[in-house]
Amino acid sequence: MTGTKPHPGSEDTRVGPPPPLDHELAAPLRDILADLGGPLTPELFADRRARTVAGSLSDEDIRRGGAFELRELRVPGPPDAPEVPVLVCLPTGSPGPHPVLYNTHGGGMVAGNNRTVELAGELDRAQELQLAVVAVDYRLAPENPDPAPLEDCYAVLEWVAAAAGEHGFDPARIVITGNSAGGCLAAGVSLLARDRGGPALLGQMLQCPMLDDRCDTPSSFQMEGVGLWDRLSDLAGWTALLGERRGTDDVSPYTAPARADDLAGLPPAFIDVGSVEALRDEAVRYASRIWQAGGEAELHVWSGAFHSFDEWVPDAVVSKTAQRARLDWLRRLLAR
């Protein structure tokens, strides 16, 4: 094929130029990149953390005029580790016990907190379906390398199940949900819960998830230097988490779920990703492998979309469609 280039990880795979962007997303992406700079490097970690703080949702944003009661807690962390900050958002419009959306935030493993703008999407769904939301503020890399973020998130899952009676949670209906690095952690916690015999999850919602520290899929190379989260940014995030272990055999499948040999016995998964992002192919492969293992997954690849597009350009038609698809999947899951 004219104009294609070989993918270094596979002699049989050739990639062409990136797919075209959705017409409503192209101009906003240019403006976003002009403001953010990139790709992500260690020198930009402080900037990304400062932007996290500046863009954090306020108590009033979260309470939504009284739709939610907000509780800010510190709960037991992993053994010999600090307590973990969590937000608990309880719907006031219906009695408990409430199903739980357990949110693990994004930020490339190096930034983000439990008040980032992605929490607004979870609150939208929770308000519509009268769900509780628990949002974890896990420790960040590189100061807290693997497995600290993952173990923080797993410890909070155990707390959600154990504290169900106190907070009006339904422990039989916990759905873990995360965007980007949060999607990786949500997938890893789902694997840990299965293998440790931990709390049973009703479902896992993986939004444009980071799943593979090797960063060697065709889309990873195709989107190098393209979009909001390209291959170089992905490498920076994974290296901050894993250091010299990144890309070697010394990486746990719970940390990088694409490495898991066995994807059977997992809770139903919703996986979505943009067609114009480096993480596309690892998300598609993860869904395919769940099906091949006899599991349940719903996969959406949003044509022309970049990483976290719906958070940055919420009024685009494709963004509204993606948000509706997530809500509808949850509605069907909870109706079982």
Side-chain angles (χ1 to χ4, degrees):
M1 294 172 59
T2 302
T4 62
K5 58 183 179 181
H7 157 224
S10 172
E11 294 181 1
D12 298 328
T13 303
R14 303 181 71 83
V15 295
L21 285 160
D22 180 271
H23 75 283
E24 289 187 285
L25 302 182
L29 178 59
R30 286 194 295 271
D31 294 340
I32 294 163
L33 291 173
D35 176 55
L36 276 180
L40 182 68
T41 62
E43 291 73 26
L44 288 174
F45 291 174
D47 171 76
R48 297 300 188 261
R49 292 177 182 182
R51 289 173 185 266
T52 292
V53 173
S56 293
L57 302 182
S58 68
D59 288 359
E60 291 73 22
D61 293 331
I62 294 169
R63 290 193 180 106
R64 298 190 165 202
F68 291 97
E69 174 192 342
L70 174 61
R71 300 175 183 176
E72 200 158 4
L73 307 172
R74 300 184 74 88
V75 308
D80 302 318
E83 291 183 318
V84 184
V86 299
L87 295 180
V88 175
C89 312
L90 297 171
T92 59
S94 62
H98 298 288
V100 179
L101 282 182
Y102 171 33
N103 180 243
T104 53
H105 69 77
M109 302 293 182
V110 301
N113 64 23
N114 56 4
R115 290 175 175 262
T116 55
V117 68
E118 66 199 72
L119 181 63
E122 307 300 350
L123 291 170
D124 287 343
R125 292 182 274 277
Q127 190 168 355
E128 175 75 17
L129 300 175
Q130 288 298 286
L131 314 177
V133 176
V134 175
V136 56
D137 195 7
Y138 56 84
R139 289 171 289 171
L140 300 175
E143 297 88 345
N144 301 283
D146 175 65
L150 178 65
E151 292 293 350
D152 282 358
C153 293
Y154 185 76
V156 172
L157 173 64
E158 291 189 312
W159 174 83
V160 171
E166 179 182 356
H167 295 282
F169 304 148
D170 182 347
R173 295 198 289 173
I174 303 170
V175 179
I176 192 166
T177 172
N179 172 283
S180 191
C184 175
L185 292 164
V189 167
S190 298
L191 288 162
L192 277 178
R194 179 196 67 181
D195 293 348
R196 290 180 178 175
L201 289 162
L202 183 66
Q204 53 179 325
M205 180 179 286
L206 315 180
Q207 303 163 41
C208 53
M210 291 171 62
L211 297 170
D212 197 338
D213 66 292
R214 294 163 293 195
C215 307
D216 65 353
T217 64
S219 63
S220 183
F221 288 96
Q222 187 181 35
M223 252 61 75
E224 187 166 320
V226 175
L228 198 58
W229 186 258
D230 74 336
R231 181 171 183 269
L232 299 177
S233 298
D234 205 27
L235 286 167
W238 281 113
T239 301
L241 181 69
L242 295 167
E244 293 182 354
R245 291 189 293 127
R246 190 210 65 78
T248 72
D249 292 338
D250 189 22
V251 175
S252 164
Y254 304 112
T255 298
R259 291 176 173 267
D261 292 328
D262 180 10
L263 297 184
L266 292 172
F270 178 100
I271 303 172
D272 68 347
V273 69
S275 68
V276 193
E277 66 167 300
L279 307 181
R280 180 194 66 211
D281 292 348
E282 62 201 66
V284 171
R285 186 165 185 261
Y286 200 70
S288 295
R289 291 186 58 223
I290 290 174
W291 296 324
Q292 290 161 8
E296 182 179 343
E298 179 167 321
L299 172 68
H300 295 266
V301 181
W302 301 111
S303 180
F306 59 85
H307 188 69
S308 299
F309 63 98
D310 56 296
E311 294 176 18
W312 292 92
V313 195
D315 292 331
V317 171
V318 67
S319 300
K320 293 178 179 179
T321 304
Q323 292 286 10
R324 188 166 58 249
R326 294 171 196 151
L327 176 66
D328 289 346
W329 178 80
L330 278 172
R331 196 190 306 274
R332 288 184 279 120
L333 183 70
L334 292 163
R336 297 182 181 186

